[in-house]
Amino acid sequence: MASTRPNQLFRNKSAKIAAIPMIVTALFVFVGGTAWTIVYSFTSSGLLPRLKWVGLDQYERLWDTRKWLVSIENLAIYGLSMLVLVFVIGFILAALLDQKIRFENTIRTVILYPYALSFVVTGLVWQWILNPEFGVQNIVRGWGWETFTFDPLYNAEIAIFGILIAGLWQGSGLVMVLMLAGLRGIDQDVWKAARVDGIPAWKTYLFIVIPMMRPVFITTLVLVVTGIVKIYDLIVAQTGGGPGIATEVPAKYVYDMMFQANNLGQGFAASTMMLVTVALVVIPWAFLEFGGSKNRG
Amino acid sequence: MNRSTQLLAATAIVAASSASATELEVMHWWTSGGEAAAVQEFAAAFNATGNTWVDAAIAGGESARAVMVSRLTGGDPMGAFQFNHGRQAEELIEAGLLRDITDIAEAEGWKDIVNPSTLLDACTVDGRIYCAPVNIHSWQWLWVSHKAFEDVGLSVPTNWNEFVGASQALADAGKTPLAMGQQGWQQSGAFNVMFAALVPSEIYLAVYGDKNAEVAAGPEVARVFAAAADARDMAATSTVQNWNDATNLVITGQAGGQIMGDWAQGEFAVAEQVAGQDYSCLPGLGVTELLGTGGDAFYFPVLSDDAQIAAQSELAALMLKPETQVAFNLKKGSLPVRGDIDLSSANDCMQKGLALLADGALLPDTNMLLTSDTTNQINTLFTEFFADASISAADAQADFVKIISRAE
């Protein structure tokens, strides 16, 4: 094999040539665009980008703006709740569907269906459901419970949970399907062995099946987390950031700054902070995940 | 071979026919009933010249402006677009994206006919004219529903203080005293109206014109914030979003009144309400009678197609012609930009506006004084303030001072 080593670069030539457009795109569009954004976040760019340096002014203003602080807080609340709940709900639904029940296909389709809707539709649907005059509150009051109050979107304290309900409704189906696929990938012999040993079903799930489903969990985690960080359209459709600024999120702050306030510099500073946040989570995880596997391999 | 020749011939025919009737895409955010009727007047007049008006309306000024700017900066310009003239377009002009229409303005003699002349000044950068002002809009109006006050047995108020005094009676009768859409621009707009009407104009100009943070922190501005807190209490039961939905509450008598610009008049007209009989309009909240001279203007992006450029010139000239001005402004409820045309068919409210215009009781609009960045921050402040009754007037004023001290 030593003779082929110098030609390592030219091995699989056609595959490498085919990958060039993708590599160029990745470098120029993603890396280049990111670098450009970071550079311009230190300028006073307004409607159009211009290289007039202002140092850290944009960042100072960013962290002095209540709308941004509220956005970060909302993303943290929404993100953590979403992450935990969507996995719990998705897995439980998948485990229930995995009991060889009748009409599995129908039920699976029904639960996955919300995922086929755009966030805009989801947002509007839940805006109406949670509207005190037309939605749930009105129906329950119609049943005779006159004092029933359920108007999360009109109460600044809990409005973000109104968004969370809609997000869960849409996202749980996808997690369920992925989990179900993972569960089906578990060898039936594992279950039989566990049953022979007399291990209760919940323990089998928790200590045998779930650890075996690690790859599925990682895939699902990546999908869910990216969905959380980029959340924007659901907010715009459901609350528009209101009441007041109670449901603002970072992505919306970036959009508002860049396209409504015509302040690109501030928008770039905010998006750079979003990138830093994501990097803080992803880089240590990537080291653990890939660095670890290299040692094992 | 034969087929491709046919195809070429067909393409040539299509190209030839499109050259004779130039299509010009015009973007604007006039989508409510009264506004759509008004813009239709422009479209009809433009189509009558043999060109074709391609209507590209986007609901909501903020989202429309975002689309317009990204299309311009992205190199996909439209034929013409509506904007609030003033500082919003400054950078687009600096970047050379907008067409210099000084030659048209001079040929049509705009300098002599546009009244007040500040409108044309707002279109002028370094002595060159970049936009065609089409109307004057003023924010400083309080629209009062006669029905709402009759229902509770009170006389119709004639100024803001009487209106505030009557608010409890309206609230007791299950009505919303002050209709207000829950959008930042409406809420900060209402604040600016109180600012213009309740304290002397010098204070308004010192804060928005000179960006004097000390004046912004002073006792006069504190009075305005106290009034805004009153307005917040009065609008507490108003849950609508769009301004025209809020106006509809006034039209149907569910709300006592609304602070909104004179474009609200178009909605009253569509609902066949009669000024002075079904509703009253109080300029300057009935306290200080004056008008802001904001308004809409059309800008023309730099294009390369000669036929389109000719169509742009035609449209620009057309918009300020007396007939179009009368037809458009009567539908829109705004005031014409030229003082030499007959508007005797205008109703009560417009006559009041015309009289103030003639007296020169005018104030520059915030769009001419503030950048979009500052405006956006003020909008956010008032979105918060009006949504959360726990924010005190003093706290809001402190934030306001911070915004003003940062403004350019």
Side-chain angles (χ1 to χ4, degrees), chain A residues 269-289:
Chain A
S271 45
T272 306
M273 288 319 301
M274 281 176 76
L275 178 72
V276 169
T277 320
V278 174
L280 283 179
V281 177
V282 170
I283 291 174
W285 169 78
F287 265 109
L288 281 178
E289 189 66 23

Side-chain angles (χ1 to χ4, degrees), chain A residues 253-274:
Chain A
Y253 184 87
V254 172
Y255 175 85
D256 287 351
M257 275 301 147
M258 288 169 71
F259 298 106
Q260 291 184 355
N262 295 340
N263 190 340
L264 287 181
Q266 181 68 198
F268 290 157
S271 45
T272 306
M273 288 319 301
M274 281 176 76

Side-chain angles (χ1 to χ4, degrees), chain B residues 346-399:
Chain B
N347 70 12
D348 214 27
C349 290
M350 279 178 85
Q351 297 295 357
K352 278 191 200 175
L354 287 167
L356 287 170
L357 195 59
D359 291 348
L362 303 171
L363 207 59
D365 188 67
T366 49
N367 278 326
M368 297 181 183
L369 301 171
L370 303 174
T371 60
S372 338
D373 189 25
T374 309
T375 307
N376 190 282
Q377 291 178 62
I378 295 175
N379 286 353
T380 307
L381 170 61
F382 285 102
T383 306
E384 261 184 284
F385 181 73
F386 275 94
D388 185 353
S390 69
I391 300 176
S392 72
D395 289 346
Q397 192 181 0
D399 280 346

